[in-house]
């Protein structure tokens, strides 16, 4: 398979993930729904520092994703592909547009602030993101690089970066969005 089709399929999976309400377009409210799902996993209440930071970073992500919106507030599959290519396709771009939301998400699910999250909690997070219940455990196990039953902030970051940057291999990240079942 060519890199191009691999990337296109990955973007399509990402589209399905971000279209939380499944209405065929990505809107700002999808990001709010996603943020709320992550907050529920961490048991974080509105008005806290973690909640504000999560919403702030998710809204910044929405701004990046909607960069090619034609102005109707609905990001179509085509607009989404163009946005990912322009805003998320290289490490520098990714760190600028996506890393803050990832770090804020980790802080939300790391309820005791020790910079590691038990595997069971990570599985709940992955399921909240829409990873199928049957696959979340395997994804989590791959993310846990040293196999100690906890996902550190570094392991979390590496798993996501793998997915978002790697276009050729079957990484943790591509499993994250169902890479084996395309
Ligand atoms: Ca939607
Ligand atoms: Ca922790
Ligand atoms: Ca670990």
């Amino acid at each position: 398979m060519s890199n191009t089709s691999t990337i296109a399929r990955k973007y399509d999976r990402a589209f399905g993930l971000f279209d939380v309400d499944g209405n065929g377009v990505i809107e700002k409210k999808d990001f709010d729904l996603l943020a709320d799902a992550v907050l529920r996993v961490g048991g974080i209440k509105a008005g806290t520092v973690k909640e504000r930071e999560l919403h702030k970073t998710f809204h910044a992500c929405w701004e990046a994703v909607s960069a090619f919106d034609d102005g109707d507030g609905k990001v179509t599959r085509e607009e989404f592909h163009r946005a990912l290519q322009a805003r998320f396709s290289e490490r520098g771009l990714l760190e600028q547009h996506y890393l803050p939301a990832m770090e804020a998400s980790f802080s939300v699910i790391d309820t005791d602030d020790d910079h590691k999250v038990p595997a069971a909690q990570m599985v709940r997070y992955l399921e909240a993101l829409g990873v199928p219940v049957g696959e979340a455990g395997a994804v989590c196990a791959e993310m846990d690089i040293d196999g100690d039953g906890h996902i550190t902030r570094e392991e979390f970051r590496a798993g996501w970066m793998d997915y978002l940057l790697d276009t050729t291999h079957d990484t943790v990240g591509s499993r994250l969005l169902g890479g084996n079942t395309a």
Side-chain angles (χ1 to χ4, degrees), residues 106 109-118 121 150-151:
F106 190 89
I109 62 175
D110 179 16
T111 51
D112 62 359
D113 296 314
D114 66 352
H115 299 289
K116 55 187 190 185
V117 169
Q121 172 85 335
H150 286 78
I151 313 302

Side-chain angles (χ1 to χ4, degrees), residues 7-175:
I7 293 167
R9 282 211 320 278
K10 184 189 292 184
Y11 287 0
D12 278 340
R13 282 184 216 113
F15 187 89
L17 187 89
F18 284 118
D19 179 16
V20 179
D21 64 3
N23 71 343
V25 290
I26 298 174
E27 297 160 283
K28 191 160 182 282
K29 84 176 166 189
D30 288 309
F31 279 76
D32 289 332
L33 290 169
L34 212 47
D36 289 344
V38 175
L39 289 168
R40 276 197 297 277
V41 172
I44 301 298
K45 296 195 170 54
T48 59
V49 172
K50 285 186 178 186
E51 183 265 344
R52 285 198 300 272
E53 184 64 16
L54 190 79
H55 274 122
K56 192 180 92 182
T57 58
F58 271 50
H59 285 165
C61 243
W62 157 250
E63 295 297 324
V65 164
S66 62
F68 290 88
D69 174 30
D70 60 2
D72 67 356
K74 302 175 200 308
V75 173
T76 64
R77 196 173 289 270
E78 265 188 12
E79 290 166 346
F80 183 70
H81 281 220
R82 290 214 296 277
L84 288 198
Q85 193 60 50
R87 299 294 164 101
F88 296 89
S89 57
E90 298 165 17
R91 182 166 291 271
L93 294 171
L94 205 56
E95 288 179 351
Q96 181 184 348
H97 294 294
Y98 183 69
L99 198 56
M102 192 161 55
E103 298 287 358
S105 295
F106 190 89
S107 295
V108 162
I109 62 175
D110 179 16
T111 51
D112 62 359
D113 296 314
D114 66 352
H115 299 289
K116 55 187 190 185
V117 169
Q121 172 85 335
M122 186 57 68
V123 167
R124 280 194 291 277
Y125 161 79
L126 292 168
E127 290 174 359
L129 282 192
V131 176
V133 172
E135 292 173 25
V139 171
C140 178
E142 285 187 37
M143 223 180 221
D144 182 12
I145 295 164
D146 65 1
D148 70 347
H150 286 78
I151 313 302
T152 63
R153 193 176 276 275
E154 288 68 32
E155 287 170 334
F156 183 72
R157 197 187 288 137
W160 272 114
M161 285 303 209
D162 266 6
Y163 162 69
L164 292 159
L165 291 171
D166 188 294
T167 57
T168 53
H169 299 105
D170 180 30
T171 60
V172 172
S174 54
R175 289 180 61 98

